[in-house]
Amino acid sequence: MSVETAGRAEASRLAAASLIRQPLLVALILIVLLLALGEMLSPGFASPQQILRLLIVAALLGIVAAGQNLVILGGREGIDLSVGGIVSLSAIIAGNVMNGSDGGILPAILACVAAGALFGTFNGVGVTLLRIPPLVMTLGMLGVLQGLLVVIRQGVPSGRAAPALSEFVTRPFLLGLPGIIWLWVLIGLLMAFLLRRTVFGYRVYAIGSNEQAALLAGVPVRLIRVSLFTLSGAFAGLAGLCLIGYAGTSFANVGELYMLPSIIAVVLGGTPLSGGKGGYTGTMAGAVLLVILQSILTTINIEESGRQVIFGLTLLVLMLFYGRGRAMRA
Amino acid sequence: MSAVETRSSSRSGLGALVERFPFLPALVILVALLALNGWFQPNSLGFRAITGLISTYLALMMLAVAQTYVVYAGDVDLSVGAILSLVNCVIIVLMERWGGGGVAVLGAIAIGILTGLACGLLNGIVVAVLRLQAIVATFATSIFFTGLALYVLPVAGTPAPTVYWRTYGGRFFEIPFVFYVVVALAIILAIAVRARLTTQMLAVGDDPFKAFQSGLPVTAIRLKGYVLCGVFSALAALCITGDTASGDPLVGGAMTLYSVAAVVLGGTALSGGRGSVVGSVLGALIIGLINSLVFYVGTPSQWQNLVQGLAILLALMLGVLVTRRVRP
């Protein structure tokens, strides 16, 4: 009898533990809780318009995080610190190519994605052929991109978004949702398909969890890893374009706001930085979670210092819910 | 541990030399940069210019040393810049509140170092004890520390007392103060290299599981690494306060990534297990010399950042490649 109840208690404890281990579920629960908290702190926080605005901001972060997610999944300390620089660069390129006319949208998309992919490929080649650690390679690339921004901008903000692009990002398009959210959903579906249903996806997980084994099994490790960095750059380029649609014009180093948050979104979404497991659905939830958190902090009426203190501490607490490293045991 | 194994295996003379002194490639790059600087601007090798270089980059040298102590054990600390900002604000505010006299300065310095120590301890608890992932966890603490810095000093601008920056920029017995600091740093580092903790941190970085199984208290060692990192970040803050002579809650923001770059330039492996603090100091100087060289060769002002970025990327790649060539 007592054994049975103990067993049952153990079973429910295990169930609770496995629940906690579902990062997507944790993120969704936290999102609902945070929305409720926001509504309590300032009525109207969880109104449909507000949620829509939050989702637009989350979509921008989420698109950057898609590339970041791929690079991290590929393992070997995969990380891309250059995404911030690529977002900024792409926003400037987009603004200047479009310069306020709708006819420039298609060339702008091509230019942004191509520029992002180009720098991503540089990263990938440095990481694979020259075997520079990703953190170092992308950090160095970030410095180059920041320098390039100064050259292009020459101190003056330039370029405007095309009206149609702004509309796509901010105005309802289908079922009351703006185009960018549909784009994000589409990217989510494509990522899920890519990672779960294609050879490429399986190979990404393979090199992320055990590169040696993957190599022996005939996986073209280098090619896959370069393409992950290329995709990361391309996603960042796309995000820069969408960002200028949201903001109207590009301003100094706007992309820096996406560098580390994109990594945090991936981690909050349940993909550990060691790679090889996780997926993009969680990252999407992680991006939404991060944006809601930031938004709550801007609505409550406190000093900037208090806001940052709370934000930092909350992130730490949130991370405790996710994969902690293994304890050392003899 | 592989570091020990490779050392015992037979190697070419150069390989063995780099094995013994991981900072040699950095030293070569440094000498080359010094020569280039001298070529383009002979005055840049003069006593005055070198003093200026050191007083500007002493903070980054300290910060690079701070970063090295966590990288030794395979960790990383993205909050060093925020710790630097916080300590900068704390000592500026305390010195002003206590009247700016000699005692006030010394008291503020003591509190500042303790602040750095506390920040390092928090990082250590979060990463080593709670086992969060170092990159994201220290990013979170960096936001926290920046918040505290903004609380202590909401806007940049409060000046440091005259006695503080006069001392930092001044001379004793005809020798600039910063040279004494460099010598003191060299002595401390020379002692630290022989300390047991250094070996232990490198062992943990090489392979934490093997280190644990051979009986090392891995968690405590990583924690100590973060505490050391916090203390050296505080020392970096003392230097930057002497250099800028004012408080700024965001002064260290951009320095974090430079500290990582300096560590890598110095031949320390980010994966942990091998490297040297001397290399990191040289790495910080390399960044400084690249910046001045770009200026001396007459790069138009809007191109300077790009050329600096490219040169640093190139140096990073070169350093990694050379280190690997002689020690695969």
Side-chain angles (χ1 to χ4, degrees), chain A residues 59-71 80 82-91 93-94 108-124 145 183 187 191 194 225-243:
Chain A
L60 294 170
L61 175 60
I63 294 172
V64 182
Q68 189 71 260
N69 203 171
L70 287 172
V71 169
D80 191 347
S82 69
V83 287
I86 295 179
V87 169
S88 303
L89 181 71
S90 154
I93 293 178
I109 295 176
L110 290 177
C112 289
V113 174
L118 180 70
F119 282 100
T121 310
F122 283 148
N123 284 330
L145 285 162
L183 176 69
I187 289 175
M191 287 281 288
L194 183 76
R225 185 158 286 130
V226 173
S227 58
L228 291 179
F229 278 96
T230 307
L231 281 170
S232 176
F235 274 120
L238 183 64
L241 175 92
C242 296
L243 182 66

Side-chain angles (χ1 to χ4, degrees), chain A residues 130-131 260 273 305 324-325, chain B residues 130-131 133 139 147 317 324:
Chain A
L130 304 178
R131 291 194 297 154
L260 289 163
L273 291 181
S305 58
R324 288 166 54 200
Chain B
L130 295 176
R131 303 192 303 278
Q133 305 175 66
F139 173 57
M317 292 164 107
R324 178 159 323 107

